């Protein structure tokens, strides 16, 4: 059975409340089987965080069908079934002969990617995950089941010294999660040292991370301690660790394994006492499979893996976040007045490619242009720069992604100019009204 396409629901199937115990999230397991095509017979259990389907080695279900795109589609467990989402594939994803962008699947549903047919089988096994009873963790906010599950993971990780790997798109709050982990740990009184691995010049990276002795190289006129020594008794946060070059990955692994560091230009190791938190907007599992990230370091970092969800995956949190930003920016402003129901409707209809960071910027702009809320939002959407993730796509997939973005922006602009009168909007766009309705449905545009 296939249900109609809808906005992405929360990542849950059932929340169980138990007396004198924290609530838990129940997720029923699923299995994906290839029933037709070059990879017929291949199957894979659907993990709680979902999986990618495509020909790229970065996907969990890798297909050899040449009509399938590198990253063709995504499956993700959700409240009312399993979300099937096409990722802008060249040849499309079809259900019963109808091309779909997004749909909710029940057990037994079949869909087609390229020349490959797949079937989703729901298993009897149920996984349980703890949920936090709180709606915040440090500066992170969220009432959704998705975030309460994240808070439960972070709360448990904070009280330990385990290494934590924070994954997720830019703007999802990985830096805030790292700060909160430190602030809620037994090392809270110690230093919190932040290193942006993506901003370190490659020629100085080794010295920046591991320190150097005086005279180690030209210009090294004084001893420099490593970041791990500077963070002694506290936490070292390695942001964008996926940018770290291979030779430095080897040295970092020794620090993690032996708890000792050797400065550049020295022959002896120094003991270090730090807790490590790392973050990346890359898929390190895929980077590992592609040989761009060391496997041994990946597994050492993956003691506790936390994927910070994109804002579009937790739309229920948008009202809470938006209104909290109003209060932070101006304590005298009325959040309900600034984030009125019409404004909130526009917020809920936006995909937020920049995630929570983009939402905050839009709220700040909205407070400047409070009489013109559409200006604040349209300025956010009309981004002429290519998203870094788009560069990972092949030309045809990237162009389709860009075209879809343009389509949605154009439709919104025309609808706004005609007060959302579809017949007028279609006439202004110079396309049949039925075609305009179809495009509105495609991009989930509602007044």
């Amino acid at each position: 059975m296939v249900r109609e396409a809808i906005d992405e629901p929360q990542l849950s199937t059932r929340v169980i409340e138990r007396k004198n115990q924290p609530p838990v999230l129940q997720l029923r397991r699923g299995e994906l089987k290839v029933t037709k095509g070059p990879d017929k017979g291949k199957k894979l259990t659907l993990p709680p965080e979902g999986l990618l389907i495509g020909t790229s080695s970065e996907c969990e279900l890798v297909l050899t069908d040449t009509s399938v795109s590198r990253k063709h589609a995504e499956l993700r467990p959700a409240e009312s079934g399993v979300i099937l989402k096409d990722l802008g594939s060249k040849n499309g994803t079809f259900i019963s002969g109808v091309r779909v962008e997004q749909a909710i699947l029940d057990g037994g549903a079949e869909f087609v990617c390229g020349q490959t047919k797949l079937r989703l089988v729901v298993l009897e096994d149920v996984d349980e995950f703890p949920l936090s009873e709180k709606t915040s963790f440090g500066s992170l906010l969220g009432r959704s089941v998705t975030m309460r599950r994240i808070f439960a993971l972070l709360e448990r990780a904070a009280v330990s010294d385990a290494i934590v790997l924070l994954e997720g798109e830019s703007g999802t709050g990985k830096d805030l999660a790292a700060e909160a982990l430190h602030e809620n740990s037994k090392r809270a009184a110690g230093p919190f040292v932040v290193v942006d691995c993506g901003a370190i010049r490659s020629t100085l990276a080794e010295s920046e991370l591991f320190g150097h002795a005086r005279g180690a190289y030209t210009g090294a006129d004084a001893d420099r301690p490593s970041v791990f020594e500077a963070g002694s008794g506290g936490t070292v946060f390695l942001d964008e660790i996926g940018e770290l070059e291979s030779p430095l990955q080897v040295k970092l692994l020794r620090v993690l394994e032996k708890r000792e560091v050797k400065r550049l230009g020295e022959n002896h190791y120094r003991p270090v006492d730090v807790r490590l938190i790392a973050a990346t907007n890359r898929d390190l599992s895929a980077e590992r499979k592609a040989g761009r990230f060391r496997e041994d370091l990946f597994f050492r970092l993956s003691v506790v893996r936390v994927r910070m969800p994109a804002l579009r995956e937790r739309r229920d949190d948008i009202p809470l976040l938006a209104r909290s930003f109003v209060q932070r920016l101006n304590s005298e402003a009325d959040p309900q007045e600034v984030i009125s129901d019409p404004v909130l409707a526009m917020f809920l209809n936006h995909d937020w490619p920049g995630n929570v960071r983009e939402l905050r910027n839009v709220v700040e702009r909205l407070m400047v242009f409070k009489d013109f809320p559409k200006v604040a939002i349209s300025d956010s959407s009309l981004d002429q720069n290519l998203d870094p993730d788009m560069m990972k796509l092949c030309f045809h997939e990237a162009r389709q992604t860009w075209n879809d973005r343009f389509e949605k922006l154009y439709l919104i602009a025309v609808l706004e100019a005609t007060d959302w009168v579809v017949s007028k909007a279609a006439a202004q766009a110079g396309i049949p009204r039925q075609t305009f309705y179809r495009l509105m449905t495609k991009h989930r545009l509602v007044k």
Side-chain angles (χ1 to χ4, degrees):
M1 178 180 175
V2 182
R3 304 178 189 170
E4 61 181 337
I6 62 167
D7 285 342
E8 297 182 25
Q10 298 298 326
L11 180 62
S12 68
T13 52
R14 189 182 180 194
V15 175
I16 306 298
E17 303 283 351
R18 293 170 176 164
K19 188 176 181 180
N20 299 324
Q21 292 185 27
V24 297
L25 172 68
Q26 285 190 344
L27 289 176
R28 190 172 295 282
R29 291 187 185 181
E31 186 176 71
L32 190 61
K33 294 183 177 181
V34 178
T35 59
K36 182 181 178 182
D39 303 287
K40 182 179 179 180
K42 198 168 190 177
K43 59 185 178 179
L44 189 67
T45 299
L46 180 65
E49 63 274 12
L51 59 81
L52 294 178
I53 302 167
T55 57
S56 170
S57 60
E58 299 179 15
C59 297
E60 284 75 27
L61 180 60
V62 180
L63 302 174
T64 59
D65 182 355
T66 55
S67 63
V68 171
S69 297
R70 293 185 69 254
K71 292 183 179 179
H72 195 106
E74 175 190 36
L75 281 178
R76 182 166 51 82
E79 183 175 8
S80 49
V82 174
I83 296 291
L84 168 65
K85 184 176 182 179
D86 184 85
L87 299 177
S89 64
K90 180 181 178 181
N91 294 318
T93 301
F94 293 81
I95 297 175
S96 300
V98 178
R99 186 165 184 166
V100 298
E101 277 201 338
Q102 182 171 293
I104 295 184
L105 308 181
D106 283 330
E110 290 188 322
F111 60 96
V112 176
C113 298
Q115 300 299 315
T116 297
K117 180 179 284 189
L118 304 103
R119 185 170 186 264
L120 177 67
V121 179
V122 176
L123 306 177
E124 292 299 320
D125 297 340
V126 174
D127 290 320
E128 290 191 350
F129 302 92
L131 294 178
S132 175
E133 297 179 276
K134 299 179 181 178
T135 58
S136 66
F137 183 73
S139 297
L140 294 170
L141 296 177
R143 294 194 184 106
S144 65
V145 173
T146 301
M147 286 308 292
R148 288 170 61 201
R149 180 185 171 195
I150 297 298
F151 293 161
L153 289 173
L154 295 175
E155 288 165 1
R156 294 191 178 201
V159 297
S160 74
D161 251 358
I163 299 171
V164 178
L165 176 62
L166 301 168
E167 299 174 292
E169 299 175 10
S170 296
T172 51
K174 299 186 293 294
D175 54 342
L176 296 180
E179 290 178 18
L181 282 168
H182 173 69
E183 291 167 359
N184 287 274
S185 73
K186 61 185 179 183
R187 296 175 175 269
F192 180 67
V193 180
V194 181
V195 181
D196 186 346
C197 299
I200 302 176
R201 289 170 53 188
S202 57
T203 54
L204 299 176
E206 184 173 5
S207 173
E208 290 276 345
L209 281 174
F210 305 104
H212 62 250
R214 182 170 180 266
Y217 56 86
T218 303
D221 49 12
D223 288 345
R224 179 191 179 104
S226 69
V227 296
F228 305 102
E229 295 170 80
S232 181
T235 304
V236 171
F237 174 41
L238 298 182
D239 198 9
E240 299 305 337
I241 197 169
E243 307 300 321
L244 208 59
E245 295 180 351
S246 184
L248 299 181
Q249 293 178 25
V250 177
K251 296 197 72 171
L252 175 60
L253 182 63
R254 181 177 181 95
V255 174
L256 302 182
E257 293 283 1
K258 303 293 185 180
R259 296 291 169 176
E260 58 186 20
V261 63
K262 184 172 71 172
R263 295 181 184 177
L264 191 64
E266 290 186 344
N267 295 319
H268 62 280
Y269 287 90
R270 300 169 181 265
V272 292
D273 174 28
V274 294
R275 196 263 182 92
L276 184 76
I277 301 172
T280 179
N281 60 12
R282 295 191 180 194
D283 184 343
L284 284 195
S285 181
E287 294 289 296
R288 170 184 65 86
K289 293 176 184 177
R292 293 187 291 268
F293 197 86
R294 288 186 63 93
E295 187 171 80
D296 46 8
L297 179 57
F298 170 77
F299 287 117
R300 191 68 188 90
L301 291 171
S302 301
V303 178
V304 178
R305 289 178 70 186
V306 180
R307 175 185 170 273
M308 301 299 293
L311 187 54
R312 62 184 176 275
E313 298 173 20
R314 43 179 294 224
R315 293 180 189 271
D316 287 354
D317 289 329
I318 290 176
L320 171 67
L321 291 166
R323 287 167 177 153
S324 72
F325 288 143
V326 172
Q327 290 182 313
R328 292 182 194 180
L329 292 165
N330 184 351
S331 59
E332 297 181 0
D334 181 357
Q336 300 289 335
E337 181 180 337
V338 177
I339 312 297
S340 61
D341 289 343
V343 168
L344 188 57
M346 287 189 284
F347 278 14
L348 293 171
N349 199 45
H350 185 50
D351 282 338
W352 301 106
N355 293 298
V356 180
R357 185 182 295 126
E358 181 189 0
L359 176 61
R360 184 194 184 283
N361 292 341
V362 169
V363 170
E364 186 170 7
R365 189 159 54 243
L366 183 65
M367 296 180 73
V368 176
F369 300 102
K370 58 184 177 181
D371 297 328
F372 303 95
K374 296 169 187 175
V375 173
I377 299 174
S378 62
D379 284 350
S380 169
S381 303
L382 196 56
D383 181 7
Q384 298 300 321
N385 296 316
L386 281 177
D387 190 300
D389 289 337
M390 198 178 290
M391 304 303 293
K392 300 176 183 178
L393 304 175
C394 71
F395 172 77
H396 295 293
E397 293 174 344
R399 183 172 62 181
Q400 184 61 53
T401 301
W402 186 265
N403 287 344
D404 286 345
R405 184 179 299 174
F406 162 77
E407 271 185 13
K408 185 169 185 177
L409 291 173
Y410 180 82
L411 292 173
I412 291 173
V414 175
L415 285 165
E416 296 291 359
T418 57
D419 293 324
W420 286 75
V421 178
V422 177
S423 58
K424 292 182 180 180
Q428 181 169 319
I431 58 178
R433 185 168 58 180
Q434 290 176 328
T435 302
F436 201 92
Y437 270 120
R438 179 177 59 80
L439 290 171
M440 287 182 67
T441 301
K442 172 184 176 182
H443 294 289
R444 304 193 297 279
L445 293 177
V446 293
K447 186 174 180 181

